[in-house]
Amino acid sequence: MEFKDKRVIVTGGTKGLGKAIALSFAREGAWVGVNYSSDDKSASRTEAELEGLSTKSLLLKADVSIGADVEKMIGSVLDQWEYVDILVNNAGIIRDKLLMFLDEEDWDRVLEVNLKGTYLCSRAIMKTMIARRFGRIINITSPSALTGRAGQTNYSASKGGIISFTKSLSKEMARLGITVNAVCPGIISTPMTENLDQETKSNFLNMIPMGRFGEPEDVAWAVLFLASEKAGYITGQVLAADGGLT
Ligand code: NAD
């Protein structure tokens, strides 16, 4: 019960990695607000699983790329829970295309959800963390940010931006008891990766020294570690949970 009564928000927390992170916090006694933007059915399933863990939870439908939605979402959490200890900026999308075929809309949307969403949610939560001189912000980046990947110029730019954002914000927050770190998942079995074709999957497997895709829980533990009290002297870092990939 390392996180008993800690108040956590996980963006994009109803599926894949975000869901595993949310459930892992709840199993450790945290109150968990899970945000999502679409697919009400999987959101309800996640809500039911959280309720089964008999902790407090909130289902938060909001588009993290829209400032007014984010302010409303965080405002409603603060009205009900008074403060938030931990924010996990996990919501993310891909729209992969070679640059030659990448139109402006696909460029903008990926940057808006992944990078602008991280900025908007962090900014909206900061005041309550500063007031209490405690906070943990954990941003989810990607190997694509570190090594690049053909067909992912938009995605890798957004995730590289998240690393730079993490480092700068960690310096702003360091004296206020708030740490800001990033977790870099490798290739993880989630809805985002299940549609990869067989050839891409076996190419990836060949690149992973551990010879297997990660499970969402492999990443969740890295997030929980950085969110823990014990990780209080670690800030501005990127922790890879990637089977040795990067
Ligand atoms: P996923 O597609 O399974 O889930 C994404 C979640 O984000 C969903 O809950 C969705 O509702 C939410 N979301 C999407 N757009 C949103 C928006 N505008 N506002 C609010 N919520 C929104 O994805 P996943 O595979 O679980 O990935 C989670 C994060 O991990 C992403 O940031 C992704 O880039 C990153 N990541 C994933 C992998 C992987 O192998 N799956 C590897 C590296 C990094």
Side-chain angles (χ1 to χ4, degrees):
M1 287 286 154
E2 166 124 35
F3 291 94
K4 187 155 174 32
D5 298 334
K6 291 278 187 205
R7 295 151 207 215
V8 184
I9 294 178
V10 182
T11 69
T14 57
K15 278 193 207 169
L17 282 182
K19 178 176 176 177
I21 293 166
L23 290 173
S24 300
F25 272 118
R27 282 189 205 102
E28 295 291 325
W31 305 5
V32 187
V34 283
N35 152 264
Y36 73 108
S37 62
S38 59
D39 193 352
D40 295 310
K41 266 194 194 151
S42 63
S44 306
R45 279 198 296 273
T46 304
E47 187 181 30
E49 286 184 54
L50 283 167
E51 279 166 3
L53 293 168
S54 57
T55 183
K56 294 192 189 181
S57 60
L58 294 171
L59 195 54
L60 308 162
K61 188 168 185 177
D63 184 333
V64 295
S65 69
I66 301 174
D69 281 21
V70 170
E71 292 293 334
K72 204 168 143 199
M73 169 176 81
I74 302 293
S76 89
V77 176
L78 296 179
D79 285 347
Q80 294 172 78
W81 287 358
E82 202 182 327
Y83 59 87
V84 169
D85 300 286
I86 299 159
L87 168 68
V88 184
N89 283 309
N90 164 80
I93 58 167
I94 46 173
R95 290 203 181 167
D96 293 359
K97 276 177 201 154
L98 295 175
L99 187 65
M100 194 184 281
F101 306 109
L102 185 67
D103 59 33
E104 243 180 286
E105 201 216 321
D106 286 339
W107 174 269
D108 287 345
R109 192 64 194 140
V110 169
L111 271 287
E112 278 169 16
V113 174
N114 299 2
L115 185 55
K116 187 178 174 194
T118 298
Y119 143 71
L120 287 172
C121 293
S122 304
R123 193 186 60 169
I125 212 81
M126 272 167 53
K127 261 194 223 146
T128 177
M129 291 182 172
I130 292 171
R132 298 183 64 249
R133 293 290 193 271
F134 180 84
R136 300 277 186 266
I137 297 178
I138 295 140
N139 302 319
I140 304 298
T141 181
S142 160
S144 195
L146 300 173
T147 61
R149 186 166 173 245
Q152 288 200 325
T153 49
N154 52 353
Y155 182 73
S156 60
S158 73
K159 294 294 184 178
I162 284 175
I163 294 177
S164 308
F165 174 89
T166 299
K167 289 185 179 289
S168 291
L169 186 61
S170 73
K171 292 195 162 60
E172 288 184 22
M173 297 289 113
R175 284 172 192 263
L176 300 167
I178 300 161
T179 66
V180 188
N181 290 289
V183 165
C184 178
I187 298 152
I188 312 296
S189 308
T190 69
M192 190 184 261
T193 48
E194 74 192 8
N195 294 329
L196 295 174
D197 60 67
Q198 216 37 58
E199 194 189 342
T200 310
K201 278 188 185 168
S202 45
N203 286 344
F204 276 143
L205 277 176
N206 288 335
M207 283 157 42
I208 303 170
M210 286 192 187
R212 67 167 177 91
F213 289 161
E215 293 305 320
E217 288 68 25
D218 293 323
V219 179
W221 280 116
V223 172
L224 264 65
F225 165 65
L226 289 171
S228 69
E229 300 262 357
K230 291 171 194 124
Y233 201 54
I234 301 172
T235 197
Q237 302 303 305
V238 182
L239 176 59
D242 67 356
L245 176 69
T246 57

